Amino acid sequence: LWRGAQSYDVDAFLDPSAKKAVLSLSQRLLLERQKGAASSFAEYLAVLPDPPSLHPLQLRWPKELVVGSALLSRMHSTILERDTACMEELLAFERVWKGRLWALSSVWTRAVHLVGDDSEKLALVPLMDFMNHWTPESGTTETWSCFYEVQPDANAVVVLAERRISKGEELTLLYGEFSDAQLLCNYGICPDMPGRNAWDEAPVSIGPYVLTSPATASAPE
């Protein structure tokens, strides 16, 4: 899942191994919720929120919102395709569409990749998964406040301070080197200030005619 979660290539969101891991954890969520109060995770499941309001499956985006950006349009269609396929595969575990979307979005937006001494796994870590993403500003030296690591001997995930943290300061994690388009489409996080994210991209499309057309007075070489 690490490849699918960290790559700038939006097609990596369709990575088969990432999709398999996400579906497996989504199925587990649904099965645990069906147990009700008998589930060992009942209290945790009760506080998992509904899908982000801007999730592509939750809200049909206006066409004019995505046509202005080739990157956003491609990201949106890729994630819509990915999640539609996942929703179909979860049908055997949950007939209610909203329930399937809850489980799937919980995993895509909250799960982390844990690496131990001899294993790797996708996991939901209660409490830690309520920490927000930190977005870097261009030209700033400020960093996110926390990181996490696995302690296999204690069978635990520990959150550690990345730097000195002020009293009352929000604890944040770095979800990944995500552009605003990735944060919006996959997490439903809308940028509070456009153009602030240091990992934003500005793709430029160059048609073949630009490379093959002979130079002219109005369009020199």
Side-chain angles (χ1 to χ4, degrees):
L1 183 64
W2 191 249
R3 291 194 307 278
Q6 297 296 317
S7 176
Y8 270 109
D9 182 2
V10 297
D11 290 331
F13 283 110
L14 301 178
D15 181 86
S17 61
K19 182 179 175 182
K20 182 179 179 180
V22 167
L23 283 172
S24 178
L25 192 51
S26 298
Q27 293 164 6
R28 177 72 188 279
L29 265 185
L30 291 170
L31 292 174
E32 289 295 332
R33 190 163 77 161
Q34 289 165 11
K35 295 178 183 178
S39 171
S40 303
F41 304 98
E43 292 184 358
Y44 171 63
L45 298 179
V47 297
L48 284 178
D50 290 332
S53 58
L54 292 177
H55 190 286
L57 287 180
Q58 180 89 321
L59 175 70
R60 184 181 295 276
W61 289 16
K63 185 178 180 180
E64 55 270 20
L65 179 65
V66 295
V67 295
S69 167
L71 179 64
L72 180 60
S73 178
R74 184 166 172 238
M75 178 75 66
H76 176 265
S77 61
T78 297
I79 290 180
L80 191 60
E81 176 188 344
R82 177 201 73 186
D83 287 352
T84 298
C86 289
M87 290 284 281
E88 288 295 320
E89 296 197 38
L90 290 174
L91 190 58
F93 297 85
E94 171 63 69
R95 302 295 299 178
V96 179
W97 180 86
K98 189 174 182 180
R100 281 179 281 149
L101 181 58
W102 167 82
L104 184 63
S105 67
S106 292
V107 175
W108 273 121
T109 60
R110 313 183 82 82
V112 293
H113 184 247
L114 303 181
V115 180
D117 291 336
D118 57 358
S119 66
E120 297 183 18
K121 62 181 68 175
L122 184 68
L124 288 166
V125 182
L127 298 182
M128 189 182 83
D129 67 352
F130 283 90
M131 296 174 69
N132 284 326
H133 169 72
W134 171 87
T135 298
E137 292 188 41
S138 298
T140 183
T141 58
E142 180 187 2
T143 65
W144 55 95
S145 60
C146 301
F147 69 99
Y148 64 90
E149 63 180 32
V150 180
Q151 291 192 350
D153 295 340
N155 192 29
V157 177
V158 180
V159 176
L160 302 170
E162 179 77 23
R163 54 172 172 77
R164 184 177 295 278
I165 300 174
S166 303
K167 182 179 179 179
E169 181 183 351
E170 180 183 9
L171 302 182
T172 57
L173 290 171
L174 180 68
Y175 291 1
E177 298 180 359
F178 296 143
S179 66
D180 283 343
Q182 288 172 300
L183 291 172
L184 179 60
C185 292
N186 206 56
Y187 293 90
I189 299 175
C190 188
D192 56 354
M193 190 180 299
R196 165 186 167 187
N197 190 341
W199 286 316
D200 270 346
E201 296 177 294
V204 177
S205 297
I206 301 177
Y209 63 87
V210 175
L211 303 177
T212 58
S213 299
T216 64
S218 59
E221 230 179 316

